[in-house]
Amino acid sequence: AQKITQTQPGMFVQEKEAVTLDCTYDTSDQSYGLFWYKQPSSGEMIFLIYQGSYDEQNATEGRYSLNFQKARKSANLVISASQLGDSAMYFCAWTGYSSASKIIFGSGTRLSIRP
Amino acid sequence: EPEVTQTPSHQVTQMGQEVILRCVPISNHLYFYWYRQILGQKVEFLVSFYNNEISEKSEIFDDQFSVERPDGSNFTLKIRSTKLEDSAMYFCASNLAGGTHEQYFGPGTRLTVT
C-alpha cells in the first residue's frame, strides 16, 4: 500500500527566508502523481503544486517548487521568500493513474513564519 | 473561477441521528470524492464516485455511510446513525478526468456529534 511520510511535524522560519518541507513516499506503482496542499487555519484545502512521476523537470508554481527525486522517492516542497501568509499546515499527497484515483495524504507539517 | 461548494459549513447533531452533507462539484467535473479530517489529524479518503457508482471506498466507509448524486449538480454523503467518532471535517472534492488530475476541494463541513 502507498504511504506518505512527512517527518517534520512543525517548523519555524524567519520571514523572507526559503524553506524546504520534506516528503517521502512509498509506492510500487510506476505511474503516479504527487501533490502539495496548504491548509490555513480557516480549514480549506488549497492546491499548490503537482508533479507527475514521468515529468523530467521539477514542477514550479510562483514561489513554490517541488524538488522531485524519483530514485529516492522524495518530493520536497520549497517555498522561496516566505511570507507571513505562508503560515499554515502543509500536506504532501500521492495519487495513482487509475480513474477516480484517491489521494493519500501525509500527516502534514505545520509551518510558522516569524516576522 | 468555478469552485466546489459544501453545505452546511457546520452541523451539530446528536449521536444516533442521520445527517446528510451536501456538495456541489464543479459543473463539468466527472469524478467526485469525499474525505474526512479528524481534528488535528491527516486527511483520509472515504469514497470515490464516477458514472453514478462508487469506484472505490476505504475501510472507514462502512454500511453507515452512503453517497448519492440525486440530480445533475449535487453530491451527498449520508451517515445513517452518527457516532461520536464521526465528528470531523468532511471535504468534498471533484476533478475532470480522474487519475492524476488535480482534485478541487470544497471548504468542508464541520460535523460535531454530541
Side-chain angles (χ1 to χ4, degrees):
Chain A
Q2 290 75 21
K3 186 179 176 184
I4 304 292
T5 302
Q6 295 180 253
T7 57
Q8 306 152 309
M11 288 187 72
F12 287 88
V13 171
Q14 205 69 30
E15 191 180 6
K16 297 181 186 173
E17 288 184 351
V19 57
T20 298
L21 305 183
D22 295 340
C23 173
T24 58
Y25 58 93
D26 187 14
T27 183
S28 56
D29 289 17
Q30 296 300 310
S31 302
Y32 52 88
L34 296 155
F35 299 97
W36 278 90
Y37 281 86
K38 173 183 178 182
Q39 186 178 42
S41 56
S42 50
E44 72 265 35
M45 297 291 286
I46 302 169
F47 166 77
L48 294 178
I49 197 166
Y50 166 79
Q51 178 86 40
S53 59
Y54 290 116
D55 295 340
E56 294 187 353
Q57 291 195 327
N58 287 340
T60 60
E61 290 283 349
R63 293 186 299 113
Y64 304 106
S65 60
L66 199 152
N67 184 1
F68 181 49
Q69 297 187 42
K70 192 172 181 178
R72 296 181 61 188
K73 293 188 176 177
S74 76
N76 298 340
L77 177 70
V78 180
I79 306 174
S80 63
S82 56
Q83 302 169 357
L84 295 178
D86 293 334
S87 294
M89 196 75 166
Y90 288 80
F91 291 99
C92 179
W94 176 100
T95 189
Y97 261 49
S98 62
S99 63
S101 183
K102 63 190 176 197
I103 291 179
I104 298 172
F105 287 85
S107 55
T109 295
R110 182 167 299 283
L111 177 64
S112 300
I113 308 298
R114 292 193 181 112
Chain B
E1 185 176 323
E3 58 183 19
V4 177
T5 60
Q6 290 185 243
T7 54
S9 56
H10 190 190
Q11 172 112 31
V12 181
T13 190
Q14 289 192 326
M15 197 166 52
Q17 295 296 303
E18 174 184 287
V19 294
I20 297 176
L21 309 183
R22 292 184 166 78
C23 168
V24 179
I26 294 173
S27 61
N28 62 339
H29 284 186
L30 301 175
Y31 296 83
F32 314 113
Y33 311 81
W34 283 101
Y35 295 84
R36 81 168 186 193
Q37 184 181 31
I38 294 172
L39 188 63
Q41 298 186 22
K42 66 179 177 181
V43 179
E44 301 172 289
F45 167 76
L46 291 178
V47 65
S48 59
F49 191 87
Y50 169 70
N51 201 24
N52 281 322
E53 61 183 23
I54 290 174
S55 298
E56 186 178 0
K57 58 184 180 180
S58 71
E59 297 172 346
I60 303 166
F61 195 89
D62 61 21
D63 292 344
Q64 292 301 310
F65 291 88
S66 62
V67 289
E68 194 178 29
R69 188 150 163 84
D71 52 43
S73 59
N74 290 284
F75 179 51
T76 61
L77 174 69
K78 182 194 288 186
I79 309 175
R80 274 183 255 285
S81 177
T82 49
K83 308 184 188 87
L84 293 175
E85 53 265 36
D86 293 328
S87 294
M89 181 76 98
Y90 288 81
F91 291 103
C92 173
S94 69
N95 65 0
L96 180 59
T100 55
H101 290 258
E102 175 198 344
Q103 291 183 18
Y104 292 80
F105 279 74
T109 292
R110 180 163 297 286
L111 177 65
T112 303
V113 182
T114 62

